């Protein structure tokens, strides 16, 4: 059976979304990509890798859609994140917006409009 290895989020601006999703998903930017983000030296079609080398989780790639000429729109992917009130506040401070509050979770959007859900920790 195949195993989930990575999730790819296509975007217009990896310099905006890579730091956002790094914080929101709790995955650090890979060291080689961290330098490129700081220097703003990514190639036009180069993706940014978010990976925690100490934990087995799927990698998260933030990939621009410039190579195909396609213009990405909101709704390309939907992630469910679990966090406490402090983590929720950090995600909102990093640029997320609340789309709607529902019983038990909050629907948010990243800086490019991709929706995701914030759920509380369950015992």
């Amino acid at each position: 059976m195949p195993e989930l290895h990575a999730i790819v989020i296509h975007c217009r601006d990896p310099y905006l979304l890579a730091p956002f999703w790094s914080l929101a998903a709790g995955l650090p930017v890979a060291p080689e990509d961290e330098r490129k983000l700081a220097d703003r030296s990514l190639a036009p079609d180069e993706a940014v890798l978010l990976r925690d080398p100490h934990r087995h989780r799927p990698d998260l790639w933030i990939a621009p859609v410039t190579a195909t000429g396609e213009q990405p729109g909101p709704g390309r992917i939907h992630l469910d994140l679990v966090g406490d009130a402090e983590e929720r506040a950090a995600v909102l401070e990093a640029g997320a917006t609340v789309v709607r509050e529902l019983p038990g979770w909050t629907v948010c959007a990243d800086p490019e409009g991709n929706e995701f859900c914030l759920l509380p920790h369950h015992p």
Side-chain angles (χ1 to χ4, degrees):
M1 192 60 122
E3 179 181 310
L4 180 62
H5 176 72
I7 297 166
V8 179
I9 298 176
H10 291 280
C11 66
R12 293 188 251 332
D13 185 354
Y15 296 102
L16 175 66
L17 284 197
F20 174 83
W21 280 108
S22 176
L23 181 136
L27 292 169
V29 175
E32 59 275 12
D33 290 338
E34 199 171 86
R35 285 190 310 277
K36 291 178 182 179
L37 286 175
D39 297 345
R40 297 190 67 80
S41 62
L42 291 167
D45 59 349
E46 188 173 4
V48 177
L49 173 61
L50 308 180
R51 170 184 284 163
D52 187 340
H54 306 294
R55 296 174 67 187
H56 179 70
R57 299 196 229 180
D59 293 336
L60 187 59
W61 288 94
I62 308 302
V65 187
T66 55
T68 63
E70 182 182 336
Q71 290 299 311
R76 298 177 302 275
I77 194 163
H78 177 105
L79 300 178
D80 289 346
L81 306 176
V82 176
D84 60 23
E86 185 177 315
E87 292 163 324
R88 173 191 158 118
V91 169
L92 293 173
E93 186 177 319
T97 55
V98 173
V99 175
R100 64 188 167 278
E101 296 280 355
L102 298 167
W105 72 89
T106 304
V107 178
C108 294
D110 73 13
E112 286 194 0
N114 300 299
E115 292 188 2
F116 62 96
C117 290
L118 286 173
L119 297 89
H121 288 285
H122 291 288

